[in-house]
Amino acid sequence: MTSLKHKGSLLKFYVWLPILVLYISVLNEFDLNYLNLKYFSFNFPFILIFFFTLKDFKYFDYFLVFIAGLFNDTVIGLPLGISSLSFLLICISTAYIRNITIRPNPLKDWFYFLFVISLINSLNYSLLTLFFSYNLILMSYLVNTFFTFLFYIIFVSLFKYYLKGLND
Amino acid sequence: MASSRDDFIIAIRSAFLKKSTQQKFSLLTLVSISIIIIVLSNFNFKAVKYLKIGISEIVYRSSFIVSIPENFIKNSFETIIDYTTFYEKYKNNELELESLKSNYVSNEITQYENKELKELINDYVSSSDKILAKIIVDHDSPFLKSIIINKGSKDEIKIGTNIYDQSYLVGRVIEVNYKTSRVLLLSDLNSNVPVTIAPQNIQAIVTGSGEKHGQIKYFQSGISEEIKDESIVYTSGTGAIFKSGVPIGKLQSFADESLNRYKVKFYSDFSQLKYVFAEIVTKTEIIQVDTNTDNNDINPLDAKLKILEDELSIIEESNKKFLAENENLKNQINDLNYKVLNLNNEISSQNQTINQFNLDTAELEFLRLNLNHGHKCRKSFLNNKGFEIGSAEYKNCVLNKGKIDD
């Protein structure tokens, strides 16, 4: 990784990689839906945003997260601003937990993540059904929350490798 | 207790307001903007609408490019599966094709009839033009079932434009941008289509289920017994949102039949769509040609006279035709008589020839016998019983081969 520091453009690409992955994931709707498992889906942007904002990764700009939310709404077909709000609520919750935590614990973070995404998905569901009269399947949201929670631990281990590579 | 509340407030305030060195905006600002956008989009605020159209134009194209690797893997996987089931599918298709061919002709006739009848009952003719559209974004979202096509207001796509896969209904346009549009699929929970179930002729509404099939809803109670599996579901055209008579799918009952719930198996597989047809409908009013309006100023007597004159001219015309026909027939009769006369002459001439031939034959026979037996019949010094040459007795004697009757 020492060699990376000498290669400016490559390093730039490496540090901006999380944001790039976030944009790719919102544009591509990466959720393995084509596996055709009933209700199966997970929200990769939630995991990504939660992890990197929790780590206070300085290249993970809130404004870019906000824009990614607008893109996500456009791709999915939701009213503009819903995903932005969801993403920013994750940012707020991670900023809060960062402020109150002295000794970080991965397990606590994991369950805190479950609490946050449950809250956000509930808010999403309520907003869409009450204010925008959308017909939605509640089960899809529950399953999505559950699998996002499960996949968190897998992706976190990958992201840790990424951060380790950057620190080295 | 008070200190913990203070800590919480401090932490929250810090989370909302504190900016890191790299952050350009505080979270509070961005959250406020998000809420403003949500509220304004709920009221269909124009600025938000244009913002969305602008973002859509960029995002849909970007999404298409970003999805290329994933789509490539997905398509490769599907191709492999297709190859493994290729022969089986081919055989099934062959059978289906035979059956479809036989139905095609009668369908075409029905379509023509239908068009004629529609022209009779409507005051306008709707001519439709289907344009091919490519699906640029097809993310099978678990929440909303929609696709993005590469045709927009530039190509005269409007909100509500019907979208087809071949001749099967796929959905309708719910959002139009300049070069792109979003199509709400029939499988989406928010999709409601008025349909007719054939052959029972039951009116119902098909709603999406969020899965690959639709559900039958809102049909009249008490007629659920009449509904059978494999009944055909097609659009009824009620509400004029969808064109009537467009096939959607076939009916299938759920495993638990006691619920009296039916699902619709769509003819089209929405996950396999690559291209669709958007129907651009243009309505042209029929110009009613009212023949009475021209004659309104003419009085009834003149009108009657005109009718009689017309009748007279028709009769004269037909008389002329009869006369010409008569003349023609007379000429034909003369020709035939002439032909008969000629034939009679020919027959008499042929009879004469035959008679002459018969005479010549008898004379020849007499001369032949005369050579052989003439000496027996001729009167001479040695034959007193003979006859004079040229007499009738002589002739008889020669014809009797020289035998003289006493």
Side-chain angles (χ1 to χ4, degrees), chain A residues 96 99, chain B residues 6-18:
Chain A
Y96 171 74
N99 286 336
Chain B
D6 286 346
D7 288 347
F8 175 76
I9 291 164
I10 289 162
I12 284 286
R13 194 187 292 163
S14 169
F16 269 103
L17 298 170
K18 195 183 163 189

Side-chain angles (χ1 to χ4, degrees), chain B residues 350-380:
Chain B
Q350 280 172 352
N351 280 339
Q352 276 177 6
T353 313
I354 291 162
N355 288 338
Q356 188 62 43
F357 175 77
N358 288 339
L359 284 171
D360 288 350
T361 313
E363 192 68 22
L364 194 68
E365 182 63 19
F366 172 73
L367 288 170
R368 195 179 62 78
L369 291 167
N370 189 38
L371 278 172
N372 292 330
H373 308 289
H375 66 280
K376 292 175 192 171
C377 299
R378 201 180 305 136
K379 192 177 182 182
S380 66

Side-chain angles (χ1 to χ4, degrees), chain A residues 42-53:
Chain A
F42 71 97
N43 204 324
F44 179 72
F46 278 8
I47 301 171
L48 194 79
I49 294 165
F50 185 87
F51 179 81
F52 283 98
T53 51

Side-chain angles (χ1 to χ4, degrees), chain B residues 69-98:
Chain B
E70 192 195 346
N71 286 340
F72 176 74
I73 296 163
K74 203 163 76 175
N75 291 340
S76 306
F77 181 66
E78 279 161 7
T79 311
I80 292 163
I81 290 169
D82 279 349
Y83 273 115
T84 53
T85 55
F86 181 73
Y87 183 73
E88 197 184 338
K89 275 185 183 171
Y90 165 74
K91 282 284 167 196
N92 288 337
N93 286 342
E94 212 172 33
L95 288 170
E96 202 175 349
L97 188 68
E98 284 302 314

Side-chain angles (χ1 to χ4, degrees), chain B residues 260-353:
Chain B
N260 271 337
R261 283 167 64 222
Y262 295 89
K263 65 179 174 183
V264 178
K265 192 187 174 191
F266 297 121
Y267 285 125
S268 177
D269 184 356
F270 302 146
S271 63
Q272 299 296 312
L273 295 174
K274 280 181 183 156
Y275 293 92
V276 287
F277 290 98
E279 190 177 42
I280 312 296
V281 181
T282 47
K283 289 180 178 176
T284 324
E285 282 193 21
I286 296 172
I287 301 158
Q288 296 263 333
V289 183
D290 194 355
T291 48
N292 294 329
T293 51
D294 297 339
N295 302 330
N296 277 347
D297 300 334
I298 304 166
N299 68 52
L301 196 68
D302 287 345
K304 274 183 185 174
L305 272 172
K306 198 176 179 301
I307 291 164
L308 285 168
E309 274 174 8
D310 289 346
E311 205 173 334
L312 194 68
S313 67
I314 291 163
I315 291 165
E316 277 174 359
E317 197 69 27
S318 50
N319 269 344
K320 273 181 191 173
K321 278 182 186 172
F322 285 134
L323 282 170
E325 205 171 344
N326 230 352
E327 199 65 32
N328 194 26
L329 285 168
K330 272 180 186 174
N331 287 337
Q332 278 183 9
I333 289 165
N334 285 339
D335 285 350
L336 287 169
N337 284 336
Y338 180 71
K339 275 182 188 173
V340 169
L341 196 69
N342 280 344
L343 286 168
N344 279 338
N345 288 338
E346 204 175 332
I347 289 164
S348 64
S349 151
Q350 280 172 352
N351 280 339
Q352 276 177 6
T353 313

